[in-house]
Amino acid sequence: MRHFFKISSRFSYIWTELGYFVMSLLISRERILIDEVHGLKRLRALIDESTLEHPIREELLLCFLRARKFNVERAFKSLKNYLKMVKNYPELLANLSVSKLRPQLKEQLQIVYKSKDKLGRRIFIFRAGRWNPNKLSLDDIFRCNVFCLQQLASNFDAQINGIVAIVDLQNLSLNQARHFTPSYAKKIADLLTEAFPLSFQTIHIVNQNWIVDMLMSIIWPFLSAKIQKRVLYHGSCWASLHEYVDAADLPEDYGGFREQLDCFKLFEAVTNEETCNLFNLN
């Protein structure tokens, strides 16, 4: 009988804790909904008072609000920066889709996993070292990266928790590095800092060589102090990377247990019409 009461007490404890957990999720979601309603109202007011001309969907405004933790002023600043980039570089950011990027995506420099790191953040892998300048231009790479980020930005969890990026620089050469100009570095920095509705929580640099120091010296002045602190170097020490991203959530190339994805097939399987509409400002 004593054993029965111990088991009963244990189950009671588990159910109580589970109840608290579910309740905390509900309360958290309710707070988010309240923040969304108030944030949208204030953000719309700022837009109405400004000179912004694009018709902007409510869903996109929510992306900016969530990514900036419902700080309306920061969300508005990011939105203005993003619209400025779209205006200055329409060929790089507007109307991106699998059909328009098919040849570039087939090179599989980008990987987007559904898995998350130890803090619940989605993982974006950019295998820059695999880039062949004879096949793709830097603009091609930029468009593909933005397309992948648009896919991630359409996900509620990614909007709230942000993402982590793994930049693989294996086999990076001077032939590739010579294409990397300060103007291109600034485009990347603008995207990383305050011009896209995603928060880049950590940027893991792996398989780097001496050329990386030269490239980082170009882009570093354009990065905000916050982003600079979030750049981590691991070389080929997978134990170091696994302190942040579990091996179970990584492909074998990075000391993980997942099979390598055919990312192009994954993209083709995704119905991205909704994502395209979300970022379509026409």
Side-chain angles (χ1 to χ4, degrees), residues 13 29 44 56 60 63 122 138 140 151 204 208 235 249:
Y13 171 78
R29 181 60 182 149
R44 279 290 185 195
I56 306 165
L60 184 58
C63 286
R122 293 285 296 276
L138 277 177
D140 288 331
Q151 298 293 320
H204 301 283
Q208 72 269 20
D249 298 319

Side-chain angles (χ1 to χ4, degrees), residues 29-47:
R29 181 60 182 149
E30 185 178 351
R31 286 174 179 168
I32 289 174
L33 288 172
I34 293 171
D35 288 339
E36 286 177 357
V37 172
H38 291 167
L40 274 174
K41 185 176 180 180
R42 291 176 57 202
L43 185 54
R44 279 290 185 195
L46 288 176
I47 292 172

Side-chain angles (χ1 to χ4, degrees), residues 66-83:
R66 292 166 183 159
R68 301 299 168 240
K69 300 188 183 300
F70 300 101
N71 183 317
V72 177
E73 286 72 26
R74 283 187 63 210
F76 183 55
K77 179 182 177 182
S78 293
L79 176 64
K80 289 192 295 182
N81 290 341
Y82 178 73
L83 294 177

